[in-house]
Amino acid sequence: MNHETFLDDLSRIQQQGRWRTLRETQRAGGLLTENGAPRVNFSSNDYLDLAGHAEVCEAAREAADEFGAGAGASRLMSGNFALHEALEQALAELLGQETALVFPSGFQGNVAVLSSITGQGDLILSDALNHASLIDGMRLSKAEVQVYSHADELHLSKKLAAAAGRYTRVFVVTESLFSMDGDIAPLLEINSLCRSHGAFLVVDEAHALGVFGEGGGLCRDLNVQPDVTLGTMSKALGAAGGFAATSRIVRDLLINRARAFIFSTALNPPAAASALASIRLVRQHPSWGRRLLSRAQAFRDALTAGGHDLVEGGSQIIPIMIGENAAAMDYAQRLRERGLMVTGIRPPTVPEGTARLRLSVTLAHDEATLEHAAKLIGECIHALPDPA
Ligand SMILES: Cc1ncc(COP(=O)(O)O)c(C=O)c1O
């Protein structure tokens, strides 16, 4: 086969300023080395610094000894261990849902759920900035998909009103804390719209779990109960694996219909055990999330004082909007040269013209590190050419 046939595709990607390469880093955490050079890591979603926690790592080792490194089969074959069931119970309790079902990754879980609970004759209303995994799940669904403006409950309410009586079921799908903008969906308003229009509410808590609501996420914090809570154990829980927390009926439907669940090997035992250990730690330390958010707020204030015009937000995810792809990558490179690992985020991850730096604060960053980083970032922004 002639692989050169793909060179045209690659050169198009390059011309669009979207060229991506892999850089090697060593282990998760707030401090790491990249190609041998020390960096403070602002590109990690290990928000509570649990990926390297002694108890979490020990749980993974013990699970590998007891159950093996891999599950060896799908859950419906011989890969359903007591560990999976214990993890699902712990997730359901943490999220205030009746039950839960875990998947090998958050991406896979989102695809599994959205492609199987929706179908022909249904309508899905999706926030404009929803994550790729939610979008791909909707693409696999036979339901009609309509996009509403980001976090815009008025636009959503118009779409719900227009949909009345025209569909078998209507679903509203949103992230709670948006991964690239660090802002929060108007969950109370969305929830009450769903209730008054008889629509199902599906919320992805990937970035809020472990941080908000004493670990239980933003919906828990606001006393909102989605029909399905989606999420991942790869971020604040420092492990891996996705989940859907929901009713027993919907769980049964997923087990019987979700192809990405049925035809995939079960979540590996070390990941399941480390996620379970992290959930225990989060429940024992309900103040960790608040501590993280207060550090992130201080960092935000320091960046603002240093001349950055930040988008409003109350989370540990802080975007610095740049606009052009090349400028964002150039800025990220300057920061890397000063010892900060910050990733430039470009389309198609974010809309065209909104390339940015995405900084995530984790509990691995102490106050002094954050203060120093804000100073370095401030120096860099002043060295940037003015946007044309
Ligand atoms: C909002 C959101 N949902 C789902 C996922 C997928 O999770 P995972 O990394 O476990 O596949 C991500 C990860 O980037 C995410 O940001």
Side-chain angles (χ1 to χ4, degrees):
M1 289 296 290
N2 178 13
H3 289 200
E4 286 179 9
T5 169
F6 299 116
L7 287 177
D8 282 351
D9 301 68
L10 286 177
S11 73
R12 254 195 310 279
I13 291 172
Q14 215 155 11
Q15 278 159 17
Q16 290 167 335
R18 295 180 178 194
W19 183 252
R20 287 160 158 83
T21 53
L22 294 172
R23 277 188 309 269
E24 189 180 311
T25 50
Q26 281 81 44
R27 68 174 298 132
L31 290 171
L32 48 74
T33 54
E34 187 192 18
N35 298 330
R39 306 255 188 270
V40 181
N41 186 7
F42 282 98
S43 296
S44 171
N45 300 317
D46 181 16
Y47 300 125
L48 300 179
D49 198 26
L50 286 175
H53 192 286
E55 281 178 44
V56 176
C57 295
E58 184 54 28
R61 276 189 292 272
E62 281 175 8
D65 286 344
E66 187 176 347
F67 300 98
S74 69
R75 298 278 295 280
L76 288 164
M77 303 282 282
S78 61
N80 186 39
F81 303 157
L83 185 56
H84 295 117
E85 307 262 351
L87 174 58
E88 287 169 348
Q89 193 175 338
L91 281 165
E93 281 167 16
L94 181 64
L95 289 149
Q97 291 278 18
E98 191 181 1
T99 183
L101 188 68
V102 297
F103 303 88
S105 79
F107 200 110
Q108 194 171 333
N110 285 357
V111 167
V113 171
L114 288 170
S115 61
S116 59
I117 64 170
T118 64
Q120 191 98 43
D122 293 341
L123 172 68
I124 305 176
L125 297 173
S126 170
D127 186 286
L129 294 188
N130 274 341
H131 188 257
S133 55
L134 299 166
I135 294 171
D136 285 5
M138 294 178 222
R139 284 181 179 160
L140 280 177
S141 163
K142 294 197 171 61
E144 180 181 327
V145 179
Q146 291 180 18
V147 174
Y148 64 90
S149 308
H150 175 54
D152 184 345
E153 69 263 27
L154 205 64
H155 195 207
L156 175 63
S157 91
K158 285 186 185 146
K159 288 203 168 281
L160 281 166
R166 297 184 49 218
Y167 298 91
T168 313
R169 300 187 192 93
V170 178
F171 296 84
V172 174
V173 179
T174 183
E175 291 178 39
S176 57
L177 167 57
F178 283 87
S179 60
M180 293 298 143
D181 288 62
D183 62 338
I184 292 168
L187 291 164
L188 286 172
E189 292 79 1
I190 291 177
N191 183 50
S192 78
L193 281 171
C194 284
R195 299 302 150 224
S196 61
H197 287 85
F200 292 88
L201 176 60
V202 179
V203 179
D204 184 345
E205 291 262 38
H207 294 270
L209 183 80
V211 176
F212 288 86
E214 303 197 334
L218 270 160
C219 289
R220 196 94 213 252
D221 202 27
L222 296 168
N223 223 3
V224 164
Q225 180 149 29
D227 295 284
V228 184
T229 310
L230 300 168
T232 174
M233 296 165 278
S234 64
K235 303 192 191 300
L237 299 182
F243 64 83
T246 183
S247 65
R248 216 158 276 286
I249 294 173
V250 171
R251 183 179 189 267
D252 284 344
L253 184 71
L254 295 171
I255 291 171
N256 284 279
R257 194 190 268 167
R259 292 164 64 82
F261 176 82
I262 298 169
F263 301 107
S264 188
T265 299
L267 177 65
N268 70 74
S274 46
L276 190 52
S278 289
I279 292 173
R280 276 196 212 107
L281 284 166
V282 164
R283 297 208 80 156
Q284 283 162 11
H285 302 276
S287 64
W288 280 354
R290 283 194 296 279
R291 189 187 306 165
L292 174 64
L293 291 171
S294 99
R295 271 188 213 172
Q297 187 55 51
F299 187 48
R300 231 170 227 284
D301 293 344
L303 287 169
T304 307
H308 288 89
D309 192 10
L310 297 179
V311 181
E312 287 273 310
S315 77
Q316 75 282 13
I317 300 169
I318 306 176
I320 298 181
M321 293 300 179
I322 306 287
E324 289 303 317
N325 296 349
M329 300 319 282
D330 182 49
Y331 195 175
Q333 180 56 30
R334 284 172 200 236
L335 292 172
R336 200 169 281 120
E337 283 157 14
R338 287 165 174 78
L340 305 183
M341 187 174 176
V342 177
T343 314
I345 308 282
R346 292 164 290 174
T349 310
V350 291
E352 199 62 58
T354 70
R356 68 197 67 180
L357 302 180
R358 175 189 185 269
L359 295 123
S360 52
V361 180
T362 78
L363 280 185
H365 302 125
D366 59 25
E367 277 97 348
T369 304
L370 291 173
E371 216 173 285
H372 183 60
K375 209 165 128 253
L376 289 176
I377 295 168
E379 285 164 15
C380 271
I381 192 109
H382 295 305
L384 270 185
D386 281 338

